[in-house]
Amino acid sequence: MASEKVTQLIEDVKGLTVLELSELVKALEEEFGVSAAAPMAMMAAPAAGPAEEAEEQTEFDVILTGAGDQKIKVIKVVRELTGLGLKEAKALVDEAPKPVKEAATKEEAADIKAKIEEVGGSVEVK
Protein backbone atom coordinates (compact mmCIF):
# COMPACT_ATOMS: atom_id res chain seq x y z
CA MET A 1 0.00 0.00 0.00
CA ALA A 2 2.81 2.42 0.83
CA SER A 3 4.94 3.55 -2.04
CA GLU A 4 8.33 1.92 -2.61
CA LYS A 5 10.04 5.13 -1.50
CA VAL A 6 8.14 5.18 1.83
CA THR A 7 8.75 1.47 2.42
CA GLN A 8 12.49 1.94 1.83
CA LEU A 9 12.55 4.93 4.23
CA ILE A 10 10.84 2.85 6.92
CA GLU A 11 13.40 0.07 6.47
CA ASP A 12 16.22 2.63 6.74
CA VAL A 13 14.75 4.06 9.97
CA LYS A 14 14.45 0.54 11.43
CA GLY A 15 18.17 0.08 10.90
CA LEU A 16 19.18 3.19 12.87
CA THR A 17 20.61 3.06 16.38
CA VAL A 18 18.85 4.90 19.19
CA LEU A 19 21.45 7.69 19.02
CA GLU A 20 21.05 8.03 15.25
CA LEU A 21 17.27 8.05 15.62
CA SER A 22 17.52 10.82 18.21
CA GLU A 23 19.70 12.85 15.82
CA LEU A 24 17.15 12.26 13.02
CA VAL A 25 14.29 13.53 15.18
CA LYS A 26 16.25 16.66 16.14
CA ALA A 27 17.17 17.33 12.52
CA LEU A 28 13.55 16.93 11.38
CA GLU A 29 12.34 19.26 14.16
CA GLU A 30 14.87 21.92 13.10
CA GLU A 31 14.20 21.47 9.38
CA PHE A 32 10.42 21.75 9.62
CA GLY A 33 10.13 23.93 12.75
CA VAL A 34 8.04 21.37 14.65
CA SER A 35 8.31 19.40 17.86
CA ALA A 36 7.85 15.64 18.08
CA ALA A 37 6.81 16.01 21.74
CA ALA A 38 3.54 17.88 21.01
CA PRO A 39 1.88 15.09 18.98
CA MET A 40 2.87 12.56 21.61
CA ALA A 41 1.26 14.67 24.36
CA MET A 42 -1.89 15.06 22.28
CA MET A 43 -2.05 11.30 21.72
CA ALA A 44 -1.81 10.64 25.46
CA ALA A 45 -4.52 13.16 26.43
CA PRO A 46 -7.56 11.30 25.01
CA ALA A 47 -6.71 8.31 27.18
CA ALA A 48 -7.53 10.39 30.28
CA GLY A 49 -10.78 11.74 28.81
CA PRO A 50 -13.18 8.82 29.40
CA ALA A 51 -12.34 8.58 33.11
CA GLU A 52 -13.27 12.23 33.61
CA GLU A 53 -16.51 11.86 31.67
CA ALA A 54 -17.60 8.98 33.87
CA GLU A 55 -17.83 11.30 36.88
CA GLU A 56 -20.27 13.84 35.45
CA GLN A 57 -21.46 16.35 38.02
CA THR A 58 -25.06 15.78 39.13
CA GLU A 59 -25.38 18.29 41.98
CA PHE A 60 -24.79 22.01 41.61
CA ASP A 61 -24.56 24.92 44.02
CA VAL A 62 -26.26 28.13 42.88
CA ILE A 63 -24.44 31.12 44.35
CA LEU A 64 -25.74 34.69 44.21
CA THR A 65 -22.70 36.82 43.37
CA GLY A 66 -24.41 40.22 43.18
CA ALA A 67 -27.78 41.95 43.22
CA GLY A 68 -27.11 44.49 40.50
CA ASP A 69 -29.16 47.69 40.54
CA GLN A 70 -32.53 45.91 41.04
CA LYS A 71 -31.87 44.71 44.59
CA ILE A 72 -35.54 44.66 45.63
CA LYS A 73 -36.52 42.48 42.66
CA VAL A 74 -33.64 40.11 43.41
CA ILE A 75 -34.77 39.85 47.06
CA LYS A 76 -38.30 38.99 45.89
CA VAL A 77 -37.01 36.26 43.57
CA VAL A 78 -34.74 34.84 46.29
CA ARG A 79 -37.73 34.73 48.68
CA GLU A 80 -39.82 32.97 46.04
CA LEU A 81 -37.08 30.40 45.30
CA THR A 82 -36.01 29.66 48.87
CA GLY A 83 -39.09 30.25 50.98
CA LEU A 84 -37.09 32.56 53.26
CA GLY A 85 -38.70 35.45 55.06
CA LEU A 86 -38.08 39.04 53.94
CA LYS A 87 -35.36 39.67 56.54
CA GLU A 88 -33.48 36.44 55.73
CA ALA A 89 -33.74 36.94 51.96
CA LYS A 90 -32.51 40.55 52.28
CA ALA A 91 -29.58 39.35 54.42
CA LEU A 92 -28.69 36.70 51.83
CA VAL A 93 -28.71 39.29 49.02
CA ASP A 94 -26.78 41.86 51.11
CA GLU A 95 -24.10 39.31 52.03
CA ALA A 96 -23.50 38.08 48.45
CA PRO A 97 -21.72 35.96 47.38
CA LYS A 98 -23.96 33.50 49.20
CA PRO A 99 -25.49 30.18 48.14
CA VAL A 100 -29.15 30.39 47.15
CA LYS A 101 -29.54 26.64 46.67
CA GLU A 102 -27.11 23.80 47.30
CA ALA A 103 -27.17 20.33 45.73
CA ALA A 104 -29.60 21.38 43.00
CA THR A 105 -30.10 19.37 39.82
CA LYS A 106 -28.70 20.76 36.58
CA GLU A 107 -32.16 21.83 35.38
CA GLU A 108 -33.10 23.37 38.73
CA ALA A 109 -29.81 25.30 38.85
CA ALA A 110 -30.34 26.63 35.33
CA ASP A 111 -33.90 27.68 36.21
CA ILE A 112 -32.78 29.52 39.38
CA LYS A 113 -29.96 31.23 37.50
CA ALA A 114 -32.34 32.36 34.74
CA LYS A 115 -34.87 33.79 37.22
CA ILE A 116 -32.28 35.77 39.17
CA GLU A 117 -30.49 37.06 36.06
CA GLU A 118 -33.86 38.09 34.60
CA VAL A 119 -34.26 40.67 37.38
CA GLY A 120 -30.65 41.90 37.19
CA GLY A 121 -28.84 39.71 39.71
CA SER A 122 -25.67 37.79 38.95
CA VAL A 123 -25.32 34.09 39.68
CA GLU A 124 -22.58 31.48 39.54
CA VAL A 125 -23.28 27.76 39.28
CA LYS A 126 -20.62 25.44 40.69
Side-chain angles (χ1 to χ4, degrees):
M1 292 187 221
S3 70
E4 188 176 314
K5 194 174 187 179
V6 172
T7 305
Q8 181 58 47
L9 185 59
I10 291 172
E11 289 303 315
D12 290 344
V13 169
K14 283 183 183 178
L16 295 176
T17 66
V18 173
L19 185 57
E20 291 170 329
L21 193 53
S22 175
E23 289 176 20
L24 174 63
V25 169
K26 286 179 185 176
L28 289 172
E29 287 176 341
E30 288 174 12
E31 178 69 26
F32 297 106
V34 296
S35 172
M40 295 307 290
M42 290 172 59
M43 289 174 59
E52 293 173 13
E53 290 176 28
E55 296 180 25
E56 186 177 334
Q57 187 173 351
T58 57
E59 292 185 344
F60 299 85
D61 294 341
V62 183
I63 300 167
L64 177 71
T65 56
D69 55 354
Q70 300 288 325
K71 186 174 170 182
I72 294 172
K73 289 182 181 180
V74 174
I75 292 171
K76 286 180 182 180
V77 171
V78 167
R79 284 188 67 199
E80 174 188 318
L81 294 169
T82 61
L84 293 173
L86 179 59
K87 184 177 180 180
E88 292 83 6
K90 182 182 182 305
L92 188 148
V93 172
D94 286 342
E95 296 168 7
K98 283 283 201 178
V100 175
K101 174 88 175 178
E102 294 177 329
T105 65
K106 188 175 186 175
E107 294 80 21
E108 188 179 19
D111 185 46
I112 293 170
K113 181 178 180 184
K115 286 181 179 178
I116 292 175
E117 288 179 343
E118 186 178 306
V119 294
S122 56
V123 177
E124 183 177 313
V125 177
K126 291 184 179 181

